[in-house]
Amino acid sequence: MKIIYEGKAKRLYPTDNPLEVLMEFKDDATAFNGKKKAVFDNKGRINKQITLLLYQFLEKAGVQTHFVRDHDETKMIVQRVDIIPIEFVVRNVVAGSLSKRIGLEEGAALTRPIVEYYYKNDDLGDPMIAPDHIRALNLATDDELERIRDEALTINRLLTGFFRDAGLRLVDFKVEFGRRHPDLQDIVLADEISPDTCRIWDLETNEILDKDRFRRDLGQVMESYQRIWERISGHAAHC
Ligand code: TMP
Ligand code: ASP
């Protein structure tokens, strides 16, 4: 099958409908801008299931996403979008690069969520950027940026509650947005929401259950992803 785009963890294929593409979740995992690599059997399947469940939950709550319909074990049909090359990171608890940047201990709760912007550019190593840089690079208008920031905070509020009810702590996560074809006017949530792109800890014990298990060589990567899946699918079945 012809590939439209291949990233580190996903592939896109054309469909008969020019406004829709097939998004495949790969078993490949990378960290540190691709410097560390591994393949985990079943990761694509679990991440697709988790993204699907979270997209369906968010859509029900009024968040517009590029999701169209499920396809098979590792693929879903999504609307064709032009991805805005900004990674929006929302944080509820200090962890990862924030801990290094501002010197607060990992695990410290934030009194209100922090939103950060990273320029999606592998050659530059995805640097953090400020709204003035977004303007200088013409990535989004002030109005678009404000609307996307508000949407990212809404998604955070919804997902934090959803994970909490499933016995999990949403520490932080990364989301991406895209301009929907054909007119590129609507901006919608795109890409994936999975343990690859979120930090998720056990609510009681703070045990790490996300991709940090791979980044930090903690072992039991897929077992932890599976535990997240079991908790959230069990919770979703009751709501
Ligand atoms: P960070 O603490 O390393 O900046 O990561 C913040 C969040 O963003 C964390 O949930 C992991 C996610 N993330 C990605 O999804 N892709 C990336 O390339 C990076 C660096 C982080
Ligand atoms: N996915 C990113 C990469 O490989 C980094 C990460 O998630 O830590 O560069």
Side-chain angles (χ1 to χ4, degrees), residues 87 89 91 95-97 118 172-174 196-199 215:
E87 298 194 340
V89 170
R91 302 178 185 270
S97 70
Y118 293 84
D172 57 33
F173 63 93
K174 181 268 297 182
D196 274 9
T197 59
C198 301
R199 281 198 176 90
R215 296 190 190 96

Side-chain angles (χ1 to χ4, degrees), residues 8 30-34 87-91 93-101 106 116 118 120 122 125-126 128 170-176 191-192 194-200 210-212 215-216:
K8 296 193 197 91
T30 64
F32 313 117
N33 204 13
E87 298 194 340
F88 294 82
V89 170
V90 185
R91 302 178 185 270
V93 175
V94 176
S97 70
L98 178 65
S99 172
K100 294 203 180 83
R101 183 172 302 110
E106 196 159 86
E116 296 171 347
Y118 293 84
K120 249 172 91 75
D122 282 340
D126 296 349
M128 186 160 95
L170 182 59
V171 170
D172 57 33
F173 63 93
K174 181 268 297 182
V175 274
E176 298 182 20
D191 195 51
E192 66 179 297
S194 74
D196 274 9
T197 59
C198 301
R199 281 198 176 90
I200 300 165
D210 55 76
K211 191 175 164 187
D212 272 347
R215 296 190 190 96
R216 302 177 186 191

Side-chain angles (χ1 to χ4, degrees), residues 107-156:
L110 296 162
T111 45
R112 43 181 250 197
I114 290 177
V115 182
E116 296 171 347
Y117 313 109
Y118 293 84
Y119 183 26
K120 249 172 91 75
N121 183 316
D122 282 340
D123 293 340
L124 300 176
D126 296 349
M128 186 160 95
I129 52 174
D132 278 355
H133 302 125
I134 291 174
R135 228 166 288 136
L137 288 164
N138 245 326
L139 303 181
T141 65
D142 287 350
D143 178 56
E144 285 172 342
L145 187 62
E146 198 179 309
R147 279 192 285 129
I148 299 173
R149 183 191 153 86
D150 284 350
E151 190 75 338
L153 286 168
T154 300
I155 292 166
N156 181 47

Side-chain angles (χ1 to χ4, degrees), residues 190-233:
D191 195 51
E192 66 179 297
I193 308 181
S194 74
D196 274 9
T197 59
C198 301
R199 281 198 176 90
I200 300 165
W201 297 353
D202 183 279
L203 193 59
E204 301 281 312
T205 64
N206 283 336
E207 185 185 357
I208 294 170
L209 298 172
D210 55 76
K211 191 175 164 187
D212 272 347
R213 297 206 70 89
F214 165 61
R215 296 190 190 96
R216 302 177 186 191
D217 295 321
L218 301 175
Q220 305 230 302
V221 180
M222 276 309 101
E223 291 82 351
S224 302
Y225 280 36
Q226 182 65 29
R227 274 170 65 194
I228 293 175
W229 165 248
E230 281 162 14
R231 298 255 192 108
I232 64 172
S233 56

